[in-house]
Amino acid sequence: MNSDDELQRKIYFHWPITHFYMMDDIKGFSHLMNVLKKGLLWVDESGKILQTNQRIDQHLGYDPEELTDRTIFEVNPNLSVLSWKKKWKLYQSGEWTVEQTELMTRSEVIYPVKVIAFVDPDSNICQYIVENLHEKHRYKDMLELTSTVGRIGSWECDLVTDKVVLTEQSLHLLATEDAFLNRLSLFRFIRRLSGLIYPEDVQALFKKLRASMRDGAPFELELGLKSKSQNGGNGRLQINAAPQLTEGTVAKILGTLQDISKIANRSEEMYLAMNTLEQAQEMVYWIKQDASLVYVNDAVVNHLGYSKTELKQMKVFDFDPNYPKEKWPASWQFFRKSRTADFETTNITKDGREISVMVSLTHVSFKGEEFLCAMSRNVTGKKKREEIIELTYHTLNQSNELIFWIRPNGKIIYTNDSARDRFNYSKEELLDMSFHNLFPEMTDRTFQDYWQQLLDEQQIEFQLQAQAKDGRRGAVEVNMSYLTFLEKDCACVTIRSIEERRRKAAELRSAFEEIRRLKEKIEQEKIYLQEEISTNYDFANIISRSPRYKQVLQQVAQVAETNATVLITGETGTGKELLARAVHNYSQRNEKPMIKVNCAALPENLIESELFGHEKGAFTGAYKQKIGRFELADQGTIFLDEIGELPIELQSKLLRVLQEGEFERLGSTRTTRVDVRVIAATNRNLEQQVADGKFREDLYYRLHVFPIHNIPLRERPDDIPLLVNHFIKKHSERIGRKITQVQKADLKRLARYDFPGNVRELENIIERAMIFSKEATLNLEDVIPDTRKKRKGQKGRFQSFEEIQRAHILKALEKCHWKVTGKGGAAELLQMNGKTLASKMRKLDIRREDHLMNS
């Protein structure tokens, strides 16, 4: 695909076919195709032409309205319905398709074309870009004729691809057949031109070409041929070069080569004089009385950045601000009278840079007209070097660091002002001393040891006590770097005082000790505050003052700061998710998200994809890659609600994540590692499911690291008034009721109710009561279930066998003061084997510490 095709590809992405009905976009795209001399058709899958641009209308000889009534088969005689269907599938491949074919005009004339086609997947419309090859060949023939008649060749040097290409006429003028070269072979080729072109011209061409490649400077140069021209005069070639820059870097140089022997039949002396001026390092330019320039050499172009054409349209004060327009007449008279002048001034380059120049002016007369001939030399580099040296010297002397240069024997050869001030010696005194005389602990022997270490390591650092002339001492850090200067070994030494650093280090140690003490104090306060929080039961929107709920919240506080897996059990509606969020919010992962997955709400065939993600094409409907919930929860927490509903086929994969922290997406062989804390919740009896073969035993024990049993609402009746008040506030604004009172009798009736739906059922009852209430008092009369019917004859909610067993065992344990086995123990009272009772207690989650805390 050539550069024009690539440009069309870029343009296409700025005007996608999905914007087909946005007329501003399509007009803009059509206009760009007109500029590129490309025809444009939009065609649908049936072959109907939907839209065209002006260029294709001109090619085919139709009005725009006529083409949109036709099909692609009527303008392309090589296409049929069947072949178009095949090409349509090819165009849908997602890549540009380039092919050569033919189109037929309205007058039934067939001409060759190149087509670039592509089908947009969103709109299902084909973009058909057409280039007229017949027209392209015609322009090419005209260009070749012009090149032959004018004896003009062209050349291109691509610095990116390192290719050099010469046209046929250029090859003829240079008497060679090497049409394709690289940069290295180009310079070799130029050296071989010494047999055709004068050596000094070859050297000038080398210089110009290198400068153009390096700096992007255009040039034009005449080359003298050793052989005579056809008319008997001196043979001359003119070469022109125009660099092309990309982001400030020369990417390509385009040029021409022309035989100007007939045009430039001049004397050899004139040619040599002009060549000398053009190749001079000094800037040479002639100035007229009106300050305009009549001649400039190449050095002016190179230094100021203007072309010769631009310079000849300028005045001298356009680039020399020291001779403004209003003062130029007086300056002219001064130079005219003095005849010669030498001075330093400033020139402004085309890109706005200032350069310093030394100018020599001479007043001359030529053919009755007066001129100033200026020869100017750029001295910016010299001035900058002098300035840099001065700044460096000033920087060294103003530095707070003490700087020395020393020889291998310790002789000091340079020191800055700071060192002289710090040691209180004069410059002359220090230059007569040895470096180790400044350090009482350093002898000649130890200095030589340091120097040997410096030779081995090139740079060393050590600490010593330094002593000034007046006897003052202080700890310093010495840094020595080995180097050579004027082919002699030496070392650059920097010395820094570390007294302040040591003082600050001592203060820092003291501060750290204070921080440690305060940290311990804060930790103690934290423990106290946590106990206070647990006492007040204020856990992330969990509302409770029930003493029985204290144990649950204390368990949350205990496990939150760890990374242990938590299993929350309890009946439906008890707020297991609130407990999970409390564990997450009080953990070290609280800045990362808690991702919730309801295992019961997801279809069985999608749950694996939701948990672990999938790759594109992993199954039917997997149109793109998807990240699973475990990856989203990386560094955070994942809450697996209703874990008992997880299909047994996926339980092994979940077990692997819990054990190894890794898994594979559906359709992928790459292992993904995650760091996720797992909190699971269920209202099912997982031990029974394990016994029934519906839940893996190893997964159960992996989840059962820290179980938390969320007690039902009927076991915490003290919380009912708090919850009622909370739900009234929560729904009052939405329902539009302002409830301020609740009758005590109604609260007692609520306390007697079993609440099989727990807190969720209570919220529904309060919301329903608020709808019925017209006054400020909550009307619960018609919404509270009849607790007497529920309790009488156990026609309401039956306790499960496990609940009855649990209550009976607890009653026996309390009677025996929690003695499980042995004489007078609960096992003897219940007439059970001690091991059987202990196993039963583990299964029913009966723990002595839980109930002793509530006693």
Side-chain angles (χ1 to χ4, degrees), residues 49-63:
I49 298 173
L50 304 176
Q51 182 72 28
T52 64
N53 73 335
Q54 182 181 358
R55 197 73 184 177
I56 196 67
D57 299 335
Q58 294 172 351
H59 284 334
L60 299 179
Y62 287 98
D63 293 331

Side-chain angles (χ1 to χ4, degrees), residues 594-750:
M594 185 183 92
I595 304 301
K596 177 185 174 183
V597 181
N598 190 332
C599 300
L602 293 172
E604 187 173 337
N605 59 336
L606 293 180
I607 190 167
E608 183 175 5
S609 171
E610 287 295 323
L611 287 175
F612 306 112
H614 64 253
E615 299 292 338
K616 180 180 178 181
F619 53 84
T620 303
Y623 297 112
K624 60 181 180 179
Q625 185 191 74
K626 178 179 180 179
I627 295 177
R629 304 292 181 87
F630 267 95
E631 284 184 77
L632 289 175
D634 192 25
Q635 304 297 319
T637 304
I638 190 166
F639 175 49
L640 302 175
D641 199 9
E642 304 295 347
I643 189 66
E645 306 295 334
L646 188 69
I648 197 163
E649 297 81 8
L650 287 181
Q651 292 177 18
S652 58
K653 198 165 186 177
L654 175 59
L655 179 63
R656 182 187 173 199
V657 177
L658 291 172
Q659 291 177 336
E660 309 293 339
E662 60 185 29
F663 61 89
E664 288 84 29
R665 291 181 189 155
L666 275 174
S668 173
T669 57
R670 185 176 65 87
T671 299
T672 301
R673 297 195 61 82
V674 290
D675 176 17
V676 178
R677 185 197 192 148
V678 176
I679 301 176
T682 182
N683 60 1
R684 291 179 173 269
N685 186 336
L686 292 185
E687 282 193 349
Q688 187 61 45
Q689 286 193 274
V690 169
D692 295 340
K694 297 179 180 179
F695 203 85
R696 292 178 62 107
E697 184 177 13
D698 48 3
L699 176 59
Y700 168 72
Y701 287 116
R702 193 68 185 174
L703 293 172
H704 201 260
V705 175
F706 194 91
I708 299 176
H709 180 71
N710 201 11
I711 62 177
L713 184 57
R714 63 181 173 275
E715 295 183 16
R716 40 186 280 216
D718 294 345
D719 291 338
I720 290 177
L722 285 175
L723 291 169
V724 169
N725 185 50
H726 169 72
F727 293 138
I728 289 173
K729 290 179 181 179
K730 177 180 177 180
H731 297 293
S732 59
E733 185 176 349
R734 183 175 60 83
I735 296 176
R737 299 284 192 269
K738 190 172 182 181
I739 306 298
T740 59
Q741 293 181 348
V742 181
Q743 294 181 358
K744 290 185 178 180
D746 290 338
L747 290 176
K748 290 181 178 180
R749 289 178 60 196
L750 286 174

Side-chain angles (χ1 to χ4, degrees), residues 153-203:
S154 60
W155 54 276
E156 175 187 281
C157 178
D158 193 324
L159 303 182
V160 177
T161 61
D162 196 29
K163 292 183 179 179
V164 180
V165 180
L166 292 84
T167 63
E168 184 176 349
Q169 189 64 31
S170 294
L171 296 172
H172 176 71
L173 292 174
L174 296 174
T176 183
E177 297 180 355
D178 293 336
F180 298 95
L181 305 166
N182 57 28
R183 202 184 316 181
L184 178 62
S185 60
L186 171 66
F187 286 110
R188 291 174 180 168
F189 172 73
I190 293 175
R191 289 192 184 94
R192 293 201 302 270
L193 289 178
S194 298
L196 176 68
I197 300 171
Y198 288 108
E200 58 268 24
D201 288 352
V202 173
Q203 293 302 318

